[in-house]
């Protein structure tokens, strides 16, 4: 006998709004969002309904910002020497048009950046798009500006491994020499592949997901279930402060 197919949970815009408000989001808040549409189950209205829910909860006084990391890159083969150095990926940066280049960060982000009134930044690889009262400054200043505005990070069906803003903690910490050696490319390599022309993933990427349990234990991350998705909300300032503490005490935990 064939196993019955599991029916997807149906989620409405109002369900999402209720979940966001249960987390504590309100009018005037500034929120950076990482998301997965499929994590909810079946959303009536699709990605547009998720975007509407977010905008309606923070209202015109608030702002939403999402990663719109661009697809305008071309993978280039890594040489054996580069692989031995620790190069994981190497991309040539192609011409970038913020209005036309699709993003690689999911259908919710792609729907959001195409909305009337959305402002997308000019970084050719790691741009963000924003809507709301602080849209222009967030698009320009990205996650650093979100931190300065004391904003939140909202994870919709994804984990902290997607939270690029956590790199901000690295500016506060002097990593030990054995880790710096692994993640710092030599001078000749930087000269050969300048940042404005190449996107290089060099050395081990920090495992941000390992901060989820500490965030919950320290009471700075709230969670709620909407459909099949777990939504997680954390104030970015508190996340960066806590991550910096852990990086100082146990850097090998994240760069293992």
């Amino acid at each position: 006998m064939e196993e019955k197919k599991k029916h997807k949970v149906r989620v409405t815009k109002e369900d999402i709004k209720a979940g966001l408000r249960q987390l504590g989001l309100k009018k005037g808040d500034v929120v950076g969002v990482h998301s997965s549409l499929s994590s909810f189950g079946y959303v009536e209205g699709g990605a547009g309904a998720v975007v509407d829910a977010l905008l309606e909860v923070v209202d015109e006084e608030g702002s939403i910002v999402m990663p719109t990391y661009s697809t305008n890159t071309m993978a280039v083969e890594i040489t054996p020497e580069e692989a031995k150095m620790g190069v994981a990926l190497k991309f040539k940066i192609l011409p970038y048009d913020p209005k036309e280049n699709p993003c690689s960060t999911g259908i919710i982000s792609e729907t959001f950046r195409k909305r009337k009134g959305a402002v997308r930044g000019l970084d050719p690889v790691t741009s963000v798009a924003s809507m709301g009262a602080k849209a222009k400054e967030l698009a320009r200043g990205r996650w650093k500006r979100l931190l300065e505005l004391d904003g939140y990070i909202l994870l919709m069906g994804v984990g902290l491994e997607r939270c690029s803003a956590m790199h901000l903690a690295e500016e506060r910490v002097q990593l030990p020499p054995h880790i710096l050696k692994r993640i710092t490319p030599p001078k000749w390599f930087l000269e050969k592949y300048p940042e404005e022309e190449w996107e290089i993933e060099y050395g081990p990427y920090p495992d941000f997901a390992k901060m989820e349990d500490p965030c919950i234990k320290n009471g700075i991350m709230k969670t709620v279930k909407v459909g099949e998705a777990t939504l997680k909300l954390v104030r970015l300032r508190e996340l960066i402060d806590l991550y910096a503490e852990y990086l100082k005490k146990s850097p090998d935990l994240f760069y293992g």
Side-chain angles (χ1 to χ4, degrees):
M1 185 176 176
E2 291 186 11
E3 186 177 343
K4 290 184 178 180
K5 291 183 178 179
K6 183 180 179 182
H7 292 286
K8 288 186 177 181
V9 174
R10 296 180 71 87
V11 176
T12 67
K13 181 184 74 171
E14 295 305 317
D15 293 331
I16 298 170
K17 288 171 65 175
L20 295 174
R21 287 176 173 138
Q22 189 175 337
L23 286 174
L25 280 183
K26 61 190 183 302
K27 180 178 179 179
D29 281 339
V30 183
V31 191
V33 182
H34 298 273
S35 59
S36 165
L37 181 64
S38 62
S39 69
F40 285 96
Y42 174 77
V43 179
E44 295 181 7
V50 181
V51 172
D52 288 339
L54 289 162
L55 293 173
E56 289 174 19
V57 167
V58 303
D59 204 25
E60 293 180 358
E61 295 179 19
S63 297
I64 301 293
V65 59
M66 296 191 191
T68 51
Y69 300 167
S70 186
T71 57
N72 63 318
T73 54
M74 179 179 67
V76 177
E77 186 176 356
I78 299 168
T79 67
E81 181 185 24
E82 291 167 348
K84 188 176 181 180
M85 286 170 49
V87 177
L89 295 170
K90 183 170 67 174
F91 296 95
K92 181 73 174 176
I93 299 176
L94 304 176
Y96 168 67
D97 183 336
K99 291 184 179 180
E100 299 297 331
N101 282 118
C103 69
S104 61
T105 44
I107 187 62
I108 295 175
S109 291
E110 178 67 4
T111 301
F112 180 78
R113 74 148 188 103
K114 293 164 77 174
R115 277 289 180 95
K116 183 179 179 180
V119 182
R120 190 181 189 185
L122 298 179
D123 188 286
V125 178
T126 57
S127 67
V128 300
S130 183
M131 293 184 71
K134 306 288 185 181
K136 290 183 179 179
E137 57 189 279
L138 284 164
R140 184 172 58 249
R142 296 186 289 176
W143 307 122
K144 188 171 184 179
R145 186 58 184 144
L146 180 67
L147 178 63
E148 292 168 348
L149 290 169
D150 199 21
Y152 292 92
I153 289 291
L154 173 66
L155 305 167
M156 307 182 84
V158 298
L160 279 177
E161 69 278 354
R162 301 276 285 273
C163 184
S164 309
M166 290 181 68
H167 284 296
L168 294 171
E170 295 159 11
E171 299 175 6
R172 305 184 184 183
V173 178
Q174 180 60 54
L175 293 170
H178 72 279
I179 289 180
L180 286 175
K181 185 177 179 181
R182 296 175 65 198
I183 65 174
T184 306
K187 185 178 179 180
W188 69 263
F189 186 80
L190 296 175
E191 291 173 350
K192 183 177 179 181
Y193 299 114
E195 288 187 359
E196 61 271 16
E197 299 177 21
W198 293 86
E199 176 75 5
I200 309 288
E201 289 194 14
Y202 187 91
Y205 195 84
D207 190 353
F208 297 147
K210 290 183 177 177
M211 281 303 301
E212 289 202 20
D213 283 344
C215 284
I216 292 171
K217 288 177 182 176
N218 282 271
I220 67 170
M221 179 180 281
K222 297 178 182 178
T223 66
V224 68
K225 200 75 176 289
V226 177
E228 296 176 351
T230 299
L231 276 54
K232 307 166 189 175
L233 184 72
V234 58
R235 193 178 293 275
L236 181 55
R237 171 179 49 79
E238 295 179 337
L239 173 61
I240 296 303
D241 288 347
L242 188 62
Y243 180 40
E245 286 182 24
Y246 272 72
L247 266 183
K248 290 174 185 176
K249 293 186 296 184
S250 308
D252 288 294
L253 177 64
F254 305 97
Y255 290 94

